[in-house]
Amino acid sequence: MIRAFASGATGVAVLGCHVGGCRFNDANHPALKRLELLKTLLDAAGIGGNRLLLGFGTAHESHQYAEMIVDFHREVEGLPSMASWLPAGQ
């Protein structure tokens, strides 16, 4: 995610299983903690935690995923590109 932002991405979406409903032995619990910390760091750095979407669901909830992505796109489309944060020549 940091690499995506460093490359100029305006927003990054991370989608996964419902917390507590992952077949990979609750792997989403530590991921959720890391992503929440990253959102806090993005806010503290002045970048904005709203540039990071955390979404959870199942394959049967594709309509909810689609709505989540559309809402996220609406939120970040008006934000300045992260490319404006990069030093000249990158």
Side-chain angles (χ1 to χ4, degrees), residues 11-83:
V12 175
V14 179
L15 307 173
C17 304
H18 286 293
V19 176
C22 184
R23 68 180 184 171
F24 295 106
N25 299 321
D26 297 322
N28 52 9
H29 285 273
L32 176 61
K33 289 180 182 181
R34 288 185 196 118
L35 293 169
E36 287 174 343
L37 176 60
L38 179 57
K39 282 186 98 148
T40 300
L41 293 172
L42 290 170
D43 279 333
I47 294 170
N50 60 330
R51 291 178 181 268
L52 179 61
L53 169 68
L54 310 176
F56 302 97
T58 66
H60 302 292
E61 300 169 330
S62 58
H63 60 286
Q64 291 173 327
Y65 271 120
E67 186 176 326
M68 192 182 320
I69 294 297
V70 168
D71 291 343
F72 180 59
H73 178 263
R74 284 188 189 124
E75 182 165 348
V76 299
E77 73 180 335
L79 298 175
S81 169
M82 289 301 297

